[in-house]
Structures are given as structure tokens and as C-alpha cells.
Amino acid sequence: MSGRARFGPVLGIETSCDETSAAVVSGGEVIGHVILSQDAHERFGGVVPEIAARAHLRQLDSVVDAALREADLTAERLAGVGVTAGPGLIGALLVGLNWAKGFAWARDLPLLGVHHMEAHLFANSLESPEAQPPFVALLVSGGHTMLLHAERWGSYQLLGQTRDDAAGEAFDKVARRLGLGYPGGPEIERVGRRGEPGRFRLPRPMLSGRDGPEDPSYFDFSFSGLKTATALLAAELEEGDGSLRAEELPHLAAEFQQAVVDTLVGKVMRAVEWSGCDRVLLGGGVARNGVLRTRLAEALAAGGGSLFAPSPRLAADNAAMVARLAEHRLSLGERSPLDLNADPSFTFPGLRPRTRGAVPGEATRGAPCTPS
Ligand code: KG4
Ligand code: ZN
């Protein structure tokens, strides 16, 4: 399998948002991995770009040293360097990219700048070697919500994406509105455990039964209206002092979470039917959500499909997935020039728009959904 080609240990660097991370991957296996999550942003209720960039600058040297120590390697033993070149926060990206360029140049190592969202696709293969294309992937993070069909590594069809807020962003904003902490996803999940979805009723956006695959937005998402509906419901339930009654909060959190999960699962199942491929891969910080994982696994199991869901550490931002993707591409002979620049709106390599088709199974007819 080309994805497992032997290349030699690759150092990966990830600094696109608020995690400073370095990892060493060798032969598809993680041999050193350090993630330092910046908690300085919590009191601002979101990531402050300037604080993130400065923290990466302070921490990156020691994070790389720790990853190399864990891998029991010196820098001389490395065969290449991979780094997230975009998308992400420009200041944060520049710290990691320039660090990686200097490191690679000084040691005459090949460099590869990778796309952060493509790296999320590779995270599962570090834990489940069979998590190789073809598959349907749902990538859900603080900045992205994407549904795609991967035929091979490097060849992806974009089925749907969000029209407004990303799924994680909706969790974060709703949590803030409900007076919960940041990041909002884990907070909503924690509080929602004590609540009952259905006690209140929120909309399931863009899941109308009348839609069909000929509709250009059949696989798209929208969370902005759901966020507003949640805020309006919260306003109705508030006491005079502007706080939610303690017994209402868990029910509201549980219903919001359920509405997001129903939408995500509904769209994934549409993609499974349309593509004829029932191997599904999850990625991104929202993939940590237990209700999403359980519901998706149940929906797939009912039809004999399978789910690849990364462990919490590999679901969120991390350098192991960056090193894994870089190892794959470096082993195919790809290299980035040393004048590579960080690009906050880096185009996803190999991603093309959906081939319109109203017929379920059309995408993969004649091509079985099994890895080659
Ligand atoms: O992939 P990620 O670590 O960073 C990027 O945005 O690239 O994703 C972070 C997002 C945040 O919006 C956070 O609220 C969400 O993932 N998240 C969750 C959970 N854990 C993290 N959302 C729902 N449930 C969770 N348990
Ligand atoms: Zn991410």
C-alpha cells in the first residue's frame, strides 16, 4: 500500500491555531508526540491570534525537543520535515512554518508544507491502518465543516460544507451564550449529560425530507439559524436577572447538541447512500463528541457500514497527523521549496467539486468501496 511506503522518521509541526505540537512518525507509526494546548485564550472566550503566535514562538523549541526525546532520536536521524502551511491564523502559521524551514535548511532535510484539513484525514490511519480510502469523511472543527468522498489519497470530492458557522464554532458560540466556558463543545457535552434532548425542540437545519441529490445544497450544512434559535429559546427561559434556571440549562444544552448531531449524521448518511461507500471517517475537534460518535456508529452499523473515529488526542489539532501526511507525500517524492509561504486560505490539494448526480451509488458504480 503506497500510504505505508517506508521513508524514514519525519518530524511534523502544527501551529495553525492554539495547539503547539510536534511529532515524529516513522513507517506510519507515532514514535514521539507532544501537544501543548494554550489555555491563555479561555478568559477571552476564543482564540486571540496574537497571543497564539507569541505562545508558539515561546514553546515550539521545547515541544520539538520533547517529541524527539520521546522518539529517542536526534535531529540527524530524521529523513524529512512536515509542517502545516495553512489554513489557519497567519501569525500562528508563520511561526511553525519559518521554524520548520530553518530546521530543514540547516540540516539539509526535505521540507513539505501540508494542508491542515488534509492532515485531519490522515489522523485515523495512525491508529487503524485500514483507515485508507475509499471512504466518506466528515471533518468537523472550530473552523471547518466538510463532507467529502475520498477515492484515493490526494483525490477528494467535496460533497458539502457549511454555509455559515462551522459545527465547532456553533458549539463555542452557543456555550458562550449559555454562560459556559471555552472551548464550548466539551462544556455543552458535559452539561448536556444531565439533560434530556427533546424537552425543548430546536430545528434540524437543512435536513428537509424533500431535498434530493440534484439539489446543490443536499450535503451542505448551516448552523447559524440553529445558534439563533437556541439564543432565542434561552432568552425566553431566562429569569429577570438574565440567568438560565439551573434545571433548564442541561435540557437546552442536550437539545442543541442533539440537533447538531442529527444534522451531521443525517448528512453523512446521505453521502453514504449517494456514494455507495459505507466506510466513514471522522476528524476534527468535534469528533471528540461522544453523542456524535455513538449516533454515527449506530446509524452505520444498522446498514453494515463502519466508522473510523480517532481517539480524542488525534481528533483535535496535533502534529502526528501532519507528520503522517508529510511522510506519505515525501515518500512519493513531493517537496516544498524553501520560499514556501504560509497561506491562511490554502486550497485543499486534490479536492474538487461534486460531480452532480441524482442517482445514488453513481459516484462509485463499478468501483467497490474497499481499499486497494
Ligand atoms: O480541530 P480542533 O481542535 O481545532 C480547529 O478548530 O482546527 O477543533 C476545535 C473545536 C472547538 O470548536 C471545540 O468546541 C470543538 O472542537 N470540540 C467539541 C468537543 N471537543 C472539542 N465539540 C463538541 N463536543 C466535544 N466534546
Ligand atoms: Zn484542526
Side-chain angles (χ1 to χ4, degrees):
M1 187 171 359
S2 64
R4 313 284 290 174
R6 192 84 202 179
F7 180 77
V10 172
L11 174 68
I13 305 287
E14 158 64 37
T15 64
S16 67
C17 193
D18 59 343
E19 262 83 29
T20 313
S21 180
V24 184
V25 162
S26 184
E29 277 182 39
V30 187
I31 56 173
H33 192 193
V34 176
I35 307 173
L36 206 58
S37 295
Q38 304 172 1
D39 49 21
H41 306 279
E42 274 164 29
R43 65 195 173 99
F44 298 101
V47 178
V48 183
E50 184 63 24
I51 293 180
R54 284 168 190 259
H56 290 312
L57 200 55
R58 268 197 316 277
Q59 296 165 352
L60 190 52
D61 271 332
S62 54
V63 166
V64 173
D65 284 348
L68 286 171
R69 254 198 321 278
E70 191 184 314
D72 201 16
L73 281 185
T74 56
E76 289 63 44
R77 298 267 313 282
L78 291 169
V81 183
V83 59
T84 302
L89 304 170
I90 184 65
L93 288 167
L94 279 170
V95 173
L97 182 62
N98 285 315
W99 193 100
K101 285 205 268 188
F103 185 89
W105 178 77
R107 289 163 185 80
D108 203 17
L109 289 170
L111 173 78
L112 198 81
V114 306
H115 190 282
H116 179 83
M117 298 312 289
E118 188 181 20
H120 273 297
L121 287 182
F122 277 75
N124 281 279
S125 69
L126 291 163
E127 295 173 318
S128 315
E130 65 282 17
Q132 309 276 332
F135 53 68
V136 164
L138 176 70
L139 298 180
V140 268
S141 69
H144 292 85
T145 304
M146 303 173 81
L147 185 58
L148 49 89
H149 178 236
E151 292 104 10
R152 299 180 299 286
W153 290 130
S155 176
Y156 315 114
Q157 201 173 164
L158 179 64
L159 305 184
Q161 58 190 327
T162 184
R163 302 216 150 180
D164 38 60
D165 292 355
E169 187 182 356
F171 269 103
D172 294 337
K173 288 179 174 169
V174 164
R176 193 172 183 170
R177 175 65 185 79
L178 299 182
L180 300 170
Y182 176 86
E187 286 291 290
I188 291 199
E189 182 168 17
R190 181 180 60 80
V191 172
R193 251 178 233 125
R194 289 183 279 117
E196 219 179 275
R199 193 69 85 83
F200 301 115
R201 189 70 190 161
L202 288 166
R204 270 60 177 161
M206 301 185 80
L207 263 190
S208 150
R210 295 186 306 277
D211 296 348
E214 64 287 348
D215 178 346
S217 58
Y218 186 59
F219 299 110
D220 281 344
F221 307 88
S222 164
F223 294 108
S224 178
L226 172 61
K227 182 185 66 186
T228 308
T230 312
L232 290 173
L233 184 54
E236 270 174 40
L237 297 168
E238 266 161 13
E239 312 268 53
D241 67 352
S243 65
L244 268 176
R245 272 204 301 278
E247 66 272 23
E248 316 269 40
L249 180 61
H251 299 311
L252 193 49
E255 173 63 8
F256 167 75
Q257 175 174 253
Q258 194 61 53
V260 175
V261 167
D262 284 351
T263 308
L264 295 173
V265 172
K267 296 283 174 165
V268 168
M269 297 317 287
R270 285 181 175 186
V272 164
E273 192 193 349
W274 180 80
S275 68
C277 186
D278 61 3
R279 309 171 77 242
V280 174
L281 182 145
L282 259 186
V286 182
R288 288 179 160 187
N289 187 277
V291 178
L292 172 62
R293 296 165 79 106
T294 309
R295 287 300 161 92
L296 196 49
E298 283 168 3
L300 286 163
S306 49
L307 176 67
F308 299 105
S311 62
R313 191 169 153 82
L314 291 179
D317 289 351
N318 69 85
M321 65 186 192
V322 172
R324 177 72 194 93
L325 166 55
E327 181 190 44
H328 170 73
R329 287 186 173 263
L330 286 166
S331 73
L332 297 175
E334 289 183 40
R335 304 288 184 265
S336 295
L338 280 175
D339 64 357
L340 174 70
N341 207 351
D343 182 356
S345 47
F346 192 178
T347 311
F348 199 131
L351 184 67
R352 57 186 200 288
R354 166 161 77 108
T355 318
R356 281 290 158 69
V359 188
E362 191 172 67
T364 48
R365 183 161 308 139
C369 180
T370 46
S372 52

